Amino acid sequence: MSRPTYEVEYEQMLLSRHGLLQHRDGRAKDGGLERSAYILLSRLRVQGPMSIGELSDAFGLDASTLNRQTAAVMHTGLAERIPDPAGGMARKFRITDEGARLLDEERERTVRSLRRVMADWPEQDIAAFAAYLKRFNTGIERLGGRPWPRP
């Protein structure tokens, strides 16, 4: 295996460390969204209402894990359970207006932080980095068979 691949592994490990926050009931200690709530709400926003089974397939997680995550976001009013809009038997989860508002606030905080980190980067470097991240993520999604819908 090439040395650059080891460097990617190490930098990816460091990247994952930077964004982790302590959480409680779907909210981080700083008042923002906990990581799993952020990801869950992002998926519901892009894809629309989803059942536990659909979420389980999408995330590759067992239903018990998703039951805990959906219970936390429902408890805090960030998502709600609704009848299947298509008339199916399974109830689905959808992001609430409050969940969408907090998701937007969290995303804006993240973008502001990224702007500070990359303040001295030329715009073309930021665009190239974004393209490489997308390529990296879509490669992971392809291997895992779980593509993430993009707006």
Side-chain angles (χ1 to χ4, degrees), residues 8-89:
V8 168
E9 178 280 328
Y10 193 80
E11 294 301 329
Q12 185 276 332
M13 178 274 299
L14 291 174
L15 180 63
S16 67
R17 175 187 69 86
H18 294 303
L20 298 177
L21 301 172
Q22 297 298 321
H23 60 85
R24 192 171 129 209
D25 293 334
R27 299 232 182 143
K29 286 185 177 179
D30 68 356
L33 291 174
E34 190 270 327
R35 182 180 171 272
S36 65
Y38 184 82
I39 294 169
L40 176 66
L41 294 174
S42 292
R43 184 68 182 242
L44 291 174
R45 173 180 266 168
V46 171
Q47 192 160 343
M50 298 176 73
S51 68
I52 286 289
E54 291 168 331
L55 289 166
S56 179
D57 289 343
F59 289 108
L61 298 171
D62 61 63
S64 64
T65 299
L66 285 157
N67 278 321
R68 286 190 299 277
Q69 291 179 1
T70 55
V73 294
M74 284 180 38
H75 175 75
T76 54
L78 305 179
E80 61 189 350
R81 184 175 259 158
I82 61 167
D84 184 348
M89 295 297 292

Side-chain angles (χ1 to χ4, degrees), residues 68-126:
R68 286 190 299 277
Q69 291 179 1
T70 55
V73 294
M74 284 180 38
H75 175 75
T76 54
L78 305 179
E80 61 189 350
R81 184 175 259 158
I82 61 167
D84 184 348
M89 295 297 292
R91 295 180 55 84
K92 297 201 174 195
F93 296 91
R94 110 175 131 197
I95 189 171
T96 63
D97 290 343
E98 176 68 0
R101 184 185 70 74
L102 286 176
L103 182 61
D104 289 341
E105 287 177 5
E106 186 74 13
R107 184 161 282 134
E108 283 305 312
R109 273 193 296 275
T110 301
V111 168
R112 280 192 304 273
S113 294
L114 288 169
R115 284 186 182 130
R116 287 193 309 269
V117 168
M118 298 183 289
D120 60 345
W121 290 31
E123 195 67 29
Q124 67 268 21
D125 286 359
I126 296 170

